[in-house]
Amino acid sequence: MFVTFSMVLRCNMAFLVPTPPHSFTEQFMTYQQTIARMQSTIDAGGTPFRAVDAEAAARMAVQNRFATGLDIARYTAKIMREDMEAYDADPAQYTQSLGCWHGFIAQQKMIAIKKHFGSTKRRYLYLSGWMIAALRSEFGPLPDQSMHEKTSVPALIEEIYTFLRQADARELGGLFRDLDAAKEAGDAVNTHRLLHKIDEHETHIVPIIADIDAGFGNAEATYLLAKKMIEAGACALQIENQVSDEKQCGHQDGKVTVPHEDFLQKIRAIRHAFLELGVEDGIIVARTDSLGAGLTKQIAFSKEPGDLGDQYNAFLDCDEVDPADITNGQVFISREGKLLAPKRLPSNLYQFRPGTGEDRCVLDCITALQNGADLLWIETEKPHVEQIAGMVDRVREVIPNAKLVYNNSPSFNWTLNFRQQVFDTWAEAGKDVSAYDRDRLMSVDYDGTELAAEADEKIRTFQADAAKRAGIFHHLITLPTYHTAALSTDNLAREYFGDQAMLGYVKNVQREEIRQGIACVKHQNMAGSDIGDDHKEYFAGEAALKAGGKDNTMNQFAAA
């Protein structure tokens, strides 16, 4: 389900205000009906309103379809829920996203998706706490340890949706100009076609899955931040079971988890925030880092054997203690009549028994889904379909429709991992692998080999394979645009500051923009100059001083 520009409008205090896009019970209005409604409002307003042109006002209304971030959150939550149902019926209907660290990057991504595929269906955005820390903190670049300002998270959500709204306004503005030209030429067929295209225009607004880290504090702090993120437009919040003051990137060492009840308090806090703000179908993604986390900061509270606290504590690495050997400062727990001393590090953290990560991970997933989460996120150390599937199979024994969000992380060496997977499969099958050095499989020397080709095919189909076999509903890459920005800048710097000089930019950037139809080659238009010219004309008529006249150098790109 997409919002189109034949969507609902309602009259509020004699002004036309866009109806929240999730409300499909009210009358749908086409562009023409919107103009008529505007004219009625202007006529009813009397003399003070008669200086306003009804069609101009209608255009501005349909170019800004979402009045608030909450309208966006409600609309996109509905999209995600429908996509989740579609995935349950057919795992081939999985969803995808790329992480974006700036509104412009998100905007260009969605413009590209519409250009290449015609629709944004099942394509989302991901907001990475890692990239906010690395790129958007006032402290400068920071590691992913929840040290950045938490207010920067809702600020980026709002920024992204501002840019996506502008993408709508820009695209519709072009349709309006084409409509004016068709009317002026007396071309009734093209006029009808363009009116239909305006009414059926698909918005660039898509769901954001937003990273709230470990909640930036206690459950109340999590609730307050969740509210800000939802108000900015987020329909899906991802929270992890690490301690908020010792939080680490999921692919770093030293991760510390919290007892289940501590984590569930934060899940409940997020659900209360969604309900309070009227986003009843908001999505909570519960992430477990237990697979790679060998430490906990707390011994869980337990009332009776077998309860959730007792299950958590059962994973602790303990030594049985003779009461005669008790020393100063030791901490003890009792289990099955025995006195045990959990292994405690100088950091005051407690150690889990080696080899318990997968069991803890499965328990985390089941518990989170039983207590308010909608989707799971299992952070793994490598992209291996069967490893993920093995855990999901166990979760689905208890919760059959359990689904994952999975990080197709740039922290994995995808080439080496999959070449080694193929190598191991061949070796187990008795195939001759003597031509390959397993530890050097990343080498360019192997790029043209049969093994490399098979590995690349497995990488290509990884998302589809994992969606079908391992319950992955949503595939994302957390940090792709961080890496693409670095790579493209390195390539440009090498050429421009080297022998190629200006040709390094023209040949590799501008010429490619023109030939690939990259809208941003007309950067003044992308920044909103044509939208501004339209508004100047609405407000000042013939007196408008517009930027897009014959002397604007962007006219050199008209053919592009």
Side-chain angles (χ1 to χ4, degrees):
M1 183 274 303
F2 305 113
V3 67
T4 65
F5 290 143
S6 60
M7 66 182 297
V8 189
L9 296 178
R10 67 169 181 265
C11 189
N12 180 16
M13 299 178 65
F15 293 90
L16 280 178
V17 179
T19 300
H22 68 296
S23 176
F24 289 93
T25 58
E26 300 181 38
Q27 178 188 0
F28 276 65
M29 297 180 68
T30 65
Y31 172 57
Q32 298 280 52
Q33 290 169 334
T34 305
I35 296 172
R37 189 72 166 273
M38 281 290 187
Q39 189 63 62
S40 175
T41 301
I42 291 168
D43 291 344
T47 301
F49 278 62
R50 286 178 185 151
V52 176
D53 177 76
E55 186 162 16
R59 288 182 175 186
M60 294 177 73
V62 298
Q63 282 177 295
N64 184 24
R65 184 59 55 190
F66 299 88
T68 71
L70 284 176
D71 292 337
I72 292 173
R74 294 179 185 122
Y75 165 64
T76 53
K78 185 174 181 65
I79 289 175
M80 277 197 71
R81 291 288 178 180
E82 291 178 351
D83 287 346
M84 289 161 68
E85 290 180 9
Y87 173 82
D88 285 341
D90 178 7
Q93 303 299 304
Y94 62 90
T95 57
Q96 299 168 291
S97 66
L98 294 173
C100 297
W101 53 272
H102 193 280
F104 176 73
I105 300 296
Q107 179 197 62
Q108 294 306 300
K109 171 189 157 183
M110 299 319 300
I111 287 173
I113 286 172
K114 286 191 70 177
K115 180 182 81 171
H116 292 298
F117 305 104
S119 171
T120 62
K121 185 174 177 60
R122 300 200 308 276
R123 282 107 180 183
Y124 301 168
L125 292 165
Y126 179 66
L127 185 148
S128 162
W130 193 101
M131 284 209 284
I132 290 179
L135 299 170
R136 301 301 299 264
S137 172
E138 292 184 9
F139 294 107
L142 294 172
D144 183 21
Q145 296 172 0
S146 289
M147 295 189 291
H148 56 279
E149 309 86 345
K150 60 184 176 182
T151 52
S152 59
V153 185
L156 180 53
I157 296 169
E158 183 177 7
E159 175 183 291
I160 287 173
Y161 281 127
T162 297
F163 273 81
L164 295 184
R165 285 188 182 105
Q166 194 256 15
D168 283 350
R170 173 187 166 275
E171 192 166 73
L172 280 160
L175 292 175
F176 291 144
R177 284 186 286 279
D178 291 344
L179 178 64
D180 290 341
K183 287 181 177 178
E184 187 175 342
D187 187 343
V189 173
N190 202 27
T191 296
H192 177 77
R193 182 187 67 83
L194 287 163
L195 286 171
H196 178 75
K197 197 169 183 179
I198 290 166
D199 288 340
E200 297 303 318
H201 180 269
E202 183 187 324
T203 180
H204 294 81
I205 298 292
V206 297
I208 285 179
I209 298 176
D211 185 359
I212 198 171
D213 278 17
F216 286 87
N218 60 16
E220 176 69 6
T222 302
Y223 154 77
L224 293 172
L225 179 56
K227 280 184 64 176
K228 289 294 185 184
M229 294 170 71
I230 298 163
E231 287 168 343
C235 72
L237 302 183
Q238 166 227 324
I239 186 164
E240 59 206 63
N241 67 336
Q242 292 191 46
V243 291
S244 58
D245 59 337
E246 296 279 357
K247 189 263 179 195
Q248 300 277 10
C249 169
H251 294 281
Q252 292 181 322
D253 203 356
K255 294 181 290 296
V256 183
T257 64
V258 297
H260 292 93
E261 184 51 42
D262 290 36
F263 187 54
L264 298 180
Q265 290 174 22
K266 295 183 178 183
I267 290 177
R268 287 192 286 269
I270 294 172
R271 181 62 65 202
H272 278 82
F274 273 126
L275 294 173
E276 177 184 339
L277 295 173
V279 187
E280 292 88 353
D281 49 0
I283 291 96
I284 299 173
V285 182
R287 168 176 151 177
T288 173
D289 282 290
S290 290
L291 196 62
L295 303 169
T296 185
K297 199 168 189 176
Q298 298 163 256
I299 295 174
F301 175 73
S302 174
K303 288 184 178 180
E304 57 187 40
D307 65 12
L308 203 52
D310 188 49
Q311 291 180 69
Y312 188 79
N313 293 338
F315 293 117
L316 292 172
D317 194 359
C318 301
D319 292 321
E320 189 172 349
V321 178
D322 185 336
D325 296 331
I326 291 176
T327 59
N328 191 49
Q330 283 186 287
V331 174
F332 304 99
I333 61 173
S334 59
R335 184 183 304 144
E336 298 176 349
K338 296 178 181 179
L339 185 64
L340 304 175
K343 291 183 179 177
R344 188 166 56 160
L345 306 180
S347 59
N348 208 33
L349 301 172
Y350 297 94
Q351 187 171 296
F352 288 115
R353 284 184 286 112
T356 61
E358 184 170 315
D359 290 339
R360 286 183 281 123
C361 192
V362 170
L363 180 60
D364 294 343
C365 291
I366 293 170
T367 303
L369 291 176
Q370 289 174 333
N371 289 272
D374 301 290
L375 295 169
L376 302 170
W377 175 317
I378 298 175
E379 195 74 5
T380 65
E381 81 287 356
K382 60 181 178 294
H384 194 290
V385 172
E386 286 304 317
Q387 179 198 29
I388 304 163
M391 289 181 281
V392 173
D393 287 346
R394 293 175 62 187
V395 175
R396 284 184 162 180
E397 289 175 5
V398 181
I399 302 171
N401 69 337
K403 292 179 284 295
L404 294 188
V405 171
Y406 186 72
N407 178 10
N408 292 223
S409 178
S411 294
F412 303 143
N413 185 331
W414 286 76
T415 301
L416 181 61
N417 266 290
F418 277 84
R419 287 182 181 182
Q420 288 182 339
Q421 287 180 39
V422 172
F423 179 97
D424 293 343
T425 300
W426 284 8
E428 290 170 11
K431 188 169 182 176
D432 182 12
V433 292
S434 60
Y436 302 97
D437 181 343
R438 190 180 187 279
D439 294 331
R440 292 186 58 254
L441 288 175
M442 181 66 201
S443 171
V444 67
D445 297 340
Y446 295 117
D447 283 1
T449 64
E450 180 188 359
L451 184 146
E454 184 169 329
D456 280 355
E457 179 62 12
K458 286 184 176 293
I459 294 171
R460 188 187 71 81
T461 64
F462 172 80
Q463 294 188 337
D465 294 341
K468 182 178 181 180
R469 172 68 184 94
I472 298 178
F473 158 73
H474 185 78
H475 284 277
L476 61 89
I477 307 178
T478 43
L479 321 174
T481 51
Y482 178 89
H483 292 280
T484 55
L487 178 62
S488 62
T489 302
D490 181 272
N491 290 336
L492 176 60
R494 182 188 67 239
E495 297 293 323
Y496 177 73
F497 293 103
D499 293 340
Q500 294 299 299
M502 193 59 197
L503 183 61
Y505 172 78
V506 172
K507 181 179 179 181
N508 298 318
V509 180
Q510 189 180 78
R511 193 176 296 167
E512 289 303 309
E513 285 182 303
I514 294 169
R515 291 180 177 170
Q516 294 182 40
I518 307 299
C520 202
V521 71
K522 301 179 184 178
H523 49 257
Q524 306 286 13
N525 167 270
M526 185 59 67
S529 63
D530 289 335
I531 296 172
D533 276 357
D534 291 340
H535 292 172
K536 290 175 185 177
E537 190 169 3
Y538 300 160
F539 306 153
E542 293 181 356
L545 182 63
K546 297 195 286 186
K550 63 181 179 62
D551 292 328
N552 189 313
T553 59
M554 284 294 100
N555 293 330
Q556 297 173 23
F557 298 98

